[in-house]
Amino acid sequence: MKNLTTKKQFSLRTAVMLPFITVLLLTLSVVFYTQNKSYEKLVDDVSQKILTSYTQNTHADLNIFLKAPYVAVQNMVDQIQRYQMYQPNNTKNIQHYLRHSLLEVYTDLQQVDVLSFGGEQKEYIGFRRESNKGISLMLQDKRTGNDLVIYRGNQISEDIRSIIPNYDPRQRPWYSPVANTLDPAWSQIYTNVDERKEITISTMHPVFYGNDFIGVFAADVKLDSFNAFLYQETEHTKGSIYLIDNKQRLIAHSNPGSVISLGSPRSPNGTRQLAIESPDIAIQKSAEYIQEKKLVNNQAATVFCFSYKGERYFSQITPYRDNHGLDWYIVISITESDLLGHLQQEQRKGLLFGILLAFTGLLIGIYTITQVTKPIFTTANAARNIASGNWNNNVEAKGSIYETTMLMNAFNDMTHKLQSSFEAMRQQIIFDPLTQVLSRQGLIEHSRTMLSKQKECEQGLLLIGIDNFRDINDSLGILEGDQLLQRITERLQASFHTSNIAIARVGGDEFGLFFSNLDNIEQLQQHALDVHACFMTPFHISANPTLVSISIGLVYDDLSCDAMTLWLRNASIALSQAKKNNLDTSLYTPEMAVASQHKANITAELASAIENNEMLPFYQPIIDIKTGEIIGAEALIRWINPRRGLVSPLDFIPLAEDNGMIIPIGTQILTQACLDTVDRINKGLWPKDFHMHVNLSVCQLTQDNFLDELENILQKTEIPAQNLTLEITESRLVNHDKSTTNTMQKIRDLGIQIAIDDFGTGYSSLAYIHKLPFDVLKVDRAFIKDLTAENVESSIAAAVYNMTKGFNITLVAEGIETQEQAELLAKLNYNHAQGFLYSRPLPLTEWPTE
Ligand code: C2E
Ligand code: CA
Ligand code: CA
C-alpha cells in the first residue's frame, strides 16, 4: 500500500497505450509530412512542366499566327515591287493582285483580315474578309472620287456598303510609322476605323520602286481571332492564358469575351482592358501580382505562385518579342486544382483513410488492453476484499486471454486454499481440539449469534470448575486426564443439547454452559443442579471408576452484546468463591467483583509493604495447660497499612503465597521473631528454654536454599535452635512429598522443632501422620470450640490424644476461649494450650509481664 503511493503510478493501459499512440502519431505525422513534401515537389514539377509547355505552345501558335502574315506580306511586297503592280493613278493591277492573293493564294491565313496598300498619292486599295467567306473591296482613287468606298463585293459596283470621305491612308497607324523608318514593322495595336472596330495589328512593309518609296503594304491581323486560339489551348487545361503588352493591357486571352473595355477610369470605352481589370480571377490576380512584383520587362520567363481565397495559382510570365516591334508577354495562370485535378483531394482522402485505420487500430488496441487489464483489476479488487475478510470473491475467469484466465484461475485456487486453511485455523480458535466443543473464544463469538436471535429474556452462564483436577491428572496420567475431560463433555452434551444452550471448554479444567433464553434465575439454578447430577456417578477411565467433584460459578443477567468476556471473568470470581467456601454453586454478585478487586489491590500493595517495613509480628502466649505458665509464644504476622489499618494475615498470606512474596515476608518475620526472642531471653524477661513458634509456609519449605537461609538466620540472630519451633500447616503437606519431609527432618537435625499446625482440617488421614517428622501437634480450633464435658470422650481431640499417645510429641490445643475447654483438655492430657482465654496476639511491647 505504501509503495503504491510513494512512486508515481501508471495504469497498465497507459503504460501500453502511450508508446503505441506515440508511435502511431509519429508515423502519421511522418506520412503526412512526406506526403505533403512529395506533393509539393510534384506540384512544382508538374506546374513547371505544364506552364512551360503551355507557354511553348502559345509561343509557337503566336509565331504561326503572326509570322505567316508577315512572310506572306513580304512575298507580296516582293511581287508588287518586281512587277511594279502599282502605278500612281492606276490601281487596277494591284487591286487584281490583292483580290487574287486573298481569295486564291493565302486562303489559310484566316487571321489576316485585311490586305491593303496605301500609296504616297493618298490612294488606297484594300480587301477585307467578310463573315460570309467573301471579301469586300475598299477603294480610294480617282475612280471613287478620292473618297474611301467600301463595297459589298470584291468589284467596283453600285453595291456600296459605306463611304468614308477624306480618308488619308498616310495618316493611318499602319502607314505612318513605316513612312518614317522605311523598315518593315508591326504596327501599334489599334482599333479599326470601320464599323466592326476590331482589335488589329498590322504587319507593315514599305514598297520601293528602286530607291523610291512609293507606299506601304499592310496586312491586318485580327487579334480577336487569337482569343479563339488561346481558348482552344486552355480547353483541356482550364487555366487562363493571356497576352499583354508592356503597359499590361490585354491583347488576347483565353476567355470567351472581348478585351475591349466597356469604359472604366483607366480604360475608356473602346480601348483595351488592363489585365488587372479582367473579370477572370486568374487573369486579374496574376496581373496584380505581376504589377506588384514588376515582372514586366524581365528578359526571361518568370514562374510565380500566389494564393487567393484558399486556392493556389501557379503562373508564368514569358516575354514575346521580335525585331519588328513586338513587345508582348505570354502569361499563364492555373489553379492548383486545375493543375493536378483531384490529386490533392485523393491524397487527403488517403490520409484520412490512414487516420481512420489508425484510429480503428487504436480502438482495437484499447479493447484488447482492456481485456488484459480488466481481469487484473478484478483480481486485485478481489484480493483487497479478501484482505478485509470477505472470502466470497470468486473472480470469473471468462476473458479470452490465456494468461489472464490462468491468473484468475490461479487466484481462485489460491483463494480456496487460503479460505480452507483460514477456516481450519478459525476452527482451531473457535473449537477446543480435545473435546470439539466451543473454546473460550468460540463461546464469546457464538454467544453474540445466539443473543441476536433472542428478545425479551435473560441469559445465564455456568462456569464449571473441576475440583483438584491437577491432582486427578497427576494420579491418572495425562492421557487419561484428557479422556476424563472428553467423558465429562459427553455427559454435558447429553444433558444440554438444545439450540439455546452453548457448551464450551473455557479453560483446562473449566467448562462453560451458556443459556441464551432464561425466564428467571431459578431456571439457571436448576440447570446448575442438573450439572451436578451429571457428576454423581463415577467416570470409568481405563477401568478405574473416578468420582469427580465440581464447583459452579453462576452469572445471571441480561447479557449485553460484548459482555461475554466480562461474564467469564465474573463467573470465574463466583467459581473461586464457591471453591474457597466449599460450596457447590456460587452466584456472582457485584460485591464479589469488589472483593476480587480488593484482593488485586492488596497484591499490588504488598511489595511496597515489605519495603516500608509495614509487616511486624504479634505474639500470642503458649501456656502449660497444667501449671498455667507461659512456656512460649507464637509469632503471628500483622500488616499495619497506613491506609487500610491492620490487615489480617488471612487476607494477604494466601495472596503472598500465590505470587511468591511470602518468601521475603517469611524471612522478615522469622528473623524478627528470633531477634525478639534472643533479646527477651538476654534481658531475662523470658526463660532460657522459651519456645518461639514461627509459622512457615510450604512455599518457604520447598525453597531450594531454605536450609541455608535458616542456618543463616540462626547464625545472624544467635538464637539457639532449641528455642525455635517452626509450624507447618498440615493440610499443605498433603502430598507427603519426600523431599519436603526430608527438609523437615533436616530442620529437626539442626535442633529446631517442627509443629504440625491446624491438625485435623487437612486432607491426609490420621494414619499417615506418623510418617511425618515432627515434635509438636497443634490440634485445630475447629475441634476445640465445640468440646463439652458430654462429648469429650468421643471427640476428635480425644482420638488424637489416643492415637499419638505412643509418640514422643507435645500436644497443643489451639483456640481455647473458655475455662471449661481448658479443663477438659487438661483432663485429656494435652500439654500446652493457646487461645484468647489466655491472651490475644499482642505486639511485643504489650507482652504481659506476669
Ligand atoms: P494459625 O497458625 O492457626 O494461628 C492461630 C490463629 O488463631 C491466629 O489467627 C490467632 O489469632 C487465632 N486465635 C488464637 N487464639 C484464638 C481463640 O481463642 N479464638 C479464635 N477465634 N482465634 C484464636 P491469625 O493471627 O489471624 O492468623 C491466621 C493464620 O495466618 C495463622 O493461623 C497462620 O496460618 C497464618 N499466619 C499468621 N502469621 C503467619 C506467618 O508469619 N507466616 C505464615 N506463613 N503464616 C502466618
Ligand atoms: Ca500457627
Ligand atoms: Ca493453627
Side-chain angles (χ1 to χ4, degrees), residues 13 35 39 93 148 152 165 169 171 226 232 268 427 559 575 579 595 598 769 828-829:
R13 195 194 307 202
Q35 208 185 41
Y39 175 78
N93 286 344
L148 177 58
R152 283 199 204 278
Q171 305 302 314
F226 201 69
Q232 265 170 33
Q427 208 73 10
L559 177 65
L575 178 62
K579 281 189 172 169
H598 175 74
I769 192 74
L828 281 179
N829 281 318

Side-chain angles (χ1 to χ4, degrees), residues 203-240:
T203 168
M204 317 175 287
H205 285 253
V207 179
F208 291 95
Y209 289 169
N211 287 326
D212 296 336
F213 168 69
I214 52 133
V216 173
F217 191 89
D220 291 0
V221 177
K222 272 196 295 180
L223 283 178
D224 283 347
S225 56
F226 201 69
N227 285 352
F229 268 91
L230 295 179
Y231 180 70
Q232 265 170 33
E233 197 68 57
T234 59
E235 217 168 30
H236 303 295
T237 61
K238 296 199 184 89
S240 293

Side-chain angles (χ1 to χ4, degrees), residues 357-606:
L357 213 67
F359 197 70
T360 314
L362 199 72
L363 285 181
I364 293 173
I366 289 174
Y367 173 76
T368 314
I369 196 75
T370 308
Q371 287 295 303
V372 177
T373 52
K374 216 166 115 188
I376 296 178
F377 198 69
T378 322
T379 311
N381 261 346
R384 193 174 299 158
N385 274 342
I386 287 170
S388 58
N390 176 10
W391 287 100
N392 295 327
N393 265 293
N394 224 6
V395 288
E396 247 185 276
K398 63 177 177 194
S400 43
I401 292 170
Y402 175 73
E403 282 81 356
T404 52
T405 309
M406 203 161 82
L407 171 73
M408 290 166 96
N409 283 334
F411 180 81
N412 283 339
D413 285 354
M414 186 193 74
T415 308
H416 293 146
K417 293 232 168 71
L418 264 181
Q419 187 173 9
S420 46
S421 46
F422 183 77
E423 269 158 14
M425 218 166 73
R426 283 288 301 161
Q427 208 73 10
Q428 277 176 21
I429 293 171
I430 300 293
F431 293 98
D432 170 45
L434 178 66
T435 60
Q436 303 306 322
V437 292
L438 292 169
S439 64
R440 184 186 187 85
Q441 183 61 28
L443 180 65
I444 290 169
E445 290 182 16
H446 189 59
S447 67
R448 278 183 214 136
T449 330
M450 291 170 77
L451 217 57
S452 64
K453 293 179 188 151
Q454 304 296 339
K455 282 187 181 89
E456 306 284 323
C457 56
E458 302 285 296
Q459 286 77 41
L461 178 69
L462 300 183
L463 186 65
I464 304 160
I466 301 167
D467 297 338
N468 302 315
F469 183 71
R470 250 183 87 175
D471 297 336
I472 299 170
N473 225 4
D474 285 352
S475 58
L476 283 177
I478 295 207
L479 271 180
E480 288 76 7
D482 283 354
Q483 277 178 32
L484 176 64
L485 290 169
Q486 286 166 336
R487 292 297 98 76
I488 290 172
T489 311
E490 284 160 15
R491 281 198 193 172
L492 288 174
Q493 281 173 326
S495 303
F496 302 94
H497 48 68
T498 59
S499 68
N500 47 26
I501 304 174
I503 304 176
R505 183 169 167 230
V506 297
D509 56 354
E510 286 175 353
F511 287 87
L513 279 183
F514 175 67
F515 301 87
S516 67
N517 188 6
L518 295 176
D519 295 328
N520 48 48
I521 191 162
E522 285 74 27
Q523 278 183 341
L524 183 66
Q525 280 161 341
Q526 183 55 51
H527 285 312
L529 290 178
D530 295 344
V531 172
H532 270 291
C534 290
F535 290 84
M536 288 303 203
T537 48
F539 294 86
H540 290 274
I541 306 297
S542 43
N544 292 327
T546 312
L547 203 56
V548 175
S549 79
I550 53 157
S551 310
I552 306 179
L554 283 73
V555 180
Y556 178 80
D557 201 350
D558 187 356
L559 177 65
S560 65
C561 216
D562 277 324
M564 186 44 89
T565 315
L566 181 68
W567 270 37
L568 282 165
R569 195 209 72 177
N570 291 349
S572 177
I573 293 172
L575 178 62
S576 308
Q577 202 73 15
K579 281 189 172 169
K580 190 172 146 198
N581 300 331
N582 259 327
L583 299 168
D584 284 347
T585 58
S586 168
L587 177 68
Y588 168 80
T589 57
E591 296 78 60
M592 286 183 187
V594 174
S596 128
Q597 187 59 47
H598 175 74
K599 248 167 84 175
N601 292 345
I602 287 188
T603 311
E605 287 172 33
L606 269 178

Side-chain angles (χ1 to χ4, degrees), residues 667 671 705-719 750:
T667 307
T671 310
N705 58 351
F706 177 69
L707 283 166
D708 298 341
E709 181 98 338
L710 189 60
E711 280 181 282
N712 205 8
I713 291 171
L714 291 185
Q715 228 170 32
K716 217 168 65 185
T717 61
E718 293 175 346
I719 189 169
L750 290 175

Side-chain angles (χ1 to χ4, degrees), residues 620 634 637-638 695 757-758 781 814-817 835-836 841:
Q620 186 178 39
E634 178 178 2
I637 190 165
R638 293 294 177 266
N695 292 287
D757 204 356
D758 298 348
R781 183 162 60 86
E814 288 190 303
I816 292 179
E817 292 182 354
F836 294 169

Side-chain angles (χ1 to χ4, degrees), residues 255-403:
N255 279 15
S258 165
V259 299
I260 300 298
S261 170
L262 295 174
S264 80
R266 280 183 284 179
S267 317
N269 189 6
T271 60
R272 286 177 293 126
Q273 279 178 333
L274 282 166
I276 53 168
E277 291 174 327
S278 169
D280 183 307
I281 290 298
I283 296 176
Q284 190 192 103
K285 294 299 163 188
S286 57
E288 276 172 13
Y289 188 91
I290 289 167
Q291 191 172 42
E292 188 187 327
K293 299 279 183 247
K294 298 196 169 69
L295 299 180
V296 164
N297 294 330
N298 272 5
Q299 290 306 308
T302 312
V303 174
F304 59 94
C305 173
F306 62 90
S307 290
Y308 177 71
K309 286 200 173 161
E311 179 79 277
R312 275 201 297 175
Y313 289 82
F314 294 91
S315 309
Q316 181 170 348
I317 176 167
T318 316
Y320 182 82
R321 294 192 181 110
D322 76 350
N323 297 327
H324 309 293
L326 286 187
D327 185 11
W328 295 355
Y329 299 86
I330 303 169
V331 185
I332 298 182
S333 188
I334 185 164
T335 62
E336 189 176 353
S337 54
D338 287 340
L339 187 68
L340 292 168
H342 295 300
L343 181 68
Q344 201 182 22
Q345 265 153 300
E346 289 302 317
Q347 218 170 15
R348 292 233 168 98
K349 255 191 230 165
L351 195 68
L352 202 75
F353 184 70
I355 290 173
L356 215 71
L357 213 67
F359 197 70
T360 314
L362 199 72
L363 285 181
I364 293 173
I366 289 174
Y367 173 76
T368 314
I369 196 75
T370 308
Q371 287 295 303
V372 177
T373 52
K374 216 166 115 188
I376 296 178
F377 198 69
T378 322
T379 311
N381 261 346
R384 193 174 299 158
N385 274 342
I386 287 170
S388 58
N390 176 10
W391 287 100
N392 295 327
N393 265 293
N394 224 6
V395 288
E396 247 185 276
K398 63 177 177 194
S400 43
I401 292 170
Y402 175 73
E403 282 81 356

Side-chain angles (χ1 to χ4, degrees), residues 634-636 693-696 727-729 757-758 778 814 834:
E634 178 178 2
L636 293 160
H693 286 235
V694 180
N695 292 287
L696 194 68
E727 297 189 1
I728 299 163
T729 306
D757 204 356
D758 298 348
K778 294 184 80 173
E814 288 190 303
Q834 201 180 337

